[in-house]
Structure formats: structure tokens, C-alpha cells
Amino acid sequence: TIEAADNRGNTARVSDATIRERARGFIEKRDNGDVVISNIPMVDQGPKGYCVPATAERCMRFLGIPADMYLLAMAGETQAGGGTSVELLLSNIGSDIKRKGRSFEAIDGELKMRDIQKSIDAGIPMIWAMFSTEEFNEISTERTQSRKDSWDSHKNAVAAAAADPKLTPDRSRAHVVIIIGYNAETNEIAFSDSWGERYLERWITLPEAEQISQKRLYVIGL
């Protein structure tokens, strides 16, 4: 808007208390044990492969920080087709995140359910660096559907998969998604891809996720 342009893109800061209350208000607890953050805006990364800028924009907007995928891509020196350095992108926009009163944390190491639960229960999504292999996508798509078809059959299938995960990382398929939920009983996590509404919520077991993880999470918090 003209008003936003005259103000050089700066907007009135939303208080931490307001954002915290809003974020927790979007936590959805389901009868089957799923705990999922809803209402995270979808930003389609499109054919340019802007997965990091698109994912960052989604989390920033959810937490009340104005953001634009294309501006973030320039900040991260993203090339068409992907290739964004997560570290470079977040380093370059970190000062803006902090100026707007939000924190940023990088978590190294294995995926831990307790860390995911703590963040999701506070209404805070997590940016997850991983390897989006073809096998992983096939399995997560199948699991997401099986949860809707037969819950008992699904629980048996994921228990077997979690006990003997068989995914293999492919470093040419580096990607980032948002962890938006979990189910502690089935040992699954929910994630969201920046590929459009069809990919808003998908599921995979935690042991399988660990196999294709880049061992790093990023959290834009309060």
C-alpha cells in the first residue's frame, strides 16, 4: 500500500503476548492424538525452487513478521532452481527478525520428540532441513492417506516402519519444510511443504525422518 511504502515497509510491532496467544489459538488437538498447528499461510515456492525463502516467509508471517519470498531470495542470494544457503539467508535476515522483536535459534543434532513437542505445544513451527528424496515423498504421501482410510491399519504400519526404517539420504535433494505437528503415540511428525495446498500437511515417523534429516532445525520464536 502507499501507506506501507511511505513508511518504508515498517509496520506497527505486534506484542509478544498477542502473537503468543494467537499462535496457541491455532493448535489443533485431535481425537487420534495428533497435535497440529493450523493456519500457517501457504506460500508456493513455484518453479524457481525457492524452498528456503518460501518456508521462511510462511513462518515469519505466521508470527506477525512481514515477509516476501522474492526479497528473502535476494537476501539469501538464491539462484533460480534453488541453491539457497540456509545459513546465508537466515544470517542476512536475522537482523530484521530481531529488529521486529522475534528470536531465532538453530538446533543441531538428531530429531527429538520432546523438542518438537515443546515447540508445537507453544504454537511455534520449526524449519527442518532435510533431504526430500523420491522414496521419502512416496512414503509420506501414502502415510498421509492411510491415516484417513483406516486408523488401526495405519498404526500397525507405522509401528513396523518406525522399528525398521529404510530411508536413504540423497544430498542432491536438499530441502527445507516446516514441522507443524506430532503424534506421540504413533511416533510421527507432521510437516508442511511449500508446494501448494495439497502439501499443507503430511506425515512420517520420527525414525524415518531422522534418516533423511540434515541434523538441523531452525526456530523463529518470540
Side-chain angles (χ1 to χ4, degrees):
T1 64
I2 293 174
E3 181 182 2
D6 288 342
N7 201 33
R8 299 187 179 186
N10 295 318
T11 58
R13 184 178 181 278
V14 181
S15 71
D16 289 351
T18 299
I19 292 296
R20 189 177 292 110
E21 182 179 359
R22 181 189 303 168
R24 287 177 175 166
F26 291 128
I27 299 173
E28 180 182 344
K29 297 182 179 180
R30 300 169 182 164
D31 292 340
N32 64 358
D34 291 350
V35 180
V36 178
I37 300 174
S38 62
N39 211 46
I40 296 177
M42 173 53 70
V43 177
D44 193 331
Q45 69 184 59
K48 291 186 177 181
Y50 284 180
C51 66
V52 176
T55 302
E57 178 184 344
R58 296 179 68 193
C59 290
M60 291 170 71
R61 285 173 51 193
F62 180 73
L63 295 173
I65 307 173
D68 178 87
M69 173 176 66
Y70 296 101
L71 296 179
L72 293 175
M74 287 190 288
E77 299 181 12
T78 304
Q79 303 298 317
T84 304
S85 164
V86 178
E87 292 289 351
L88 178 60
L89 170 67
L90 293 172
S91 174
N92 287 346
I93 68 173
S95 59
D96 189 52
I97 292 175
K98 292 177 181 178
R99 182 170 59 84
K100 291 184 170 65
R102 301 292 172 257
S103 64
F104 173 75
E105 179 184 8
I107 304 171
D108 292 317
E110 65 182 70
L111 295 171
K112 297 178 180 178
M113 182 61 80
R114 66 174 180 270
D115 293 335
I116 294 171
Q117 286 178 297
K118 181 179 178 181
S119 187
I120 299 303
D121 289 348
I124 305 298
M126 310 176 83
I127 298 174
W128 172 35
M130 41 79 79
F131 300 106
S132 185
T133 66
E134 187 172 331
E135 182 182 22
F136 162 77
N137 281 292
E138 289 177 353
I139 289 175
S140 61
T141 297
E142 178 183 325
R143 298 277 175 69
T144 302
Q145 183 59 46
S146 71
R147 301 174 117 259
K148 303 174 184 177
D149 294 339
S150 172
W151 183 246
D152 289 337
S153 296
H154 173 77
K155 285 200 299 183
N156 292 334
V158 296
D164 186 23
K166 300 181 183 299
L167 290 179
T168 303
D170 179 349
R171 297 191 177 277
S172 69
R173 300 295 295 270
H175 189 49
V176 295
V177 297
I178 307 172
I179 294 179
I180 62 169
Y182 67 89
N183 187 308
E185 180 184 354
T186 59
N187 203 23
E188 293 176 284
I189 60 172
F191 66 97
S192 184
D193 250 304
S194 300
W195 294 340
E197 295 296 331
R198 288 177 55 198
Y199 301 91
L200 196 60
E201 180 183 320
R202 307 170 75 195
W203 290 83
I204 195 77
T205 69
L206 190 62
E208 289 171 311
E210 178 62 21
Q211 288 189 319
I212 47 86
S213 178
Q214 293 186 39
K215 313 297 184 184
R216 176 157 283 205
L217 293 165
Y218 302 87
V219 180
I220 302 171
L222 304 176

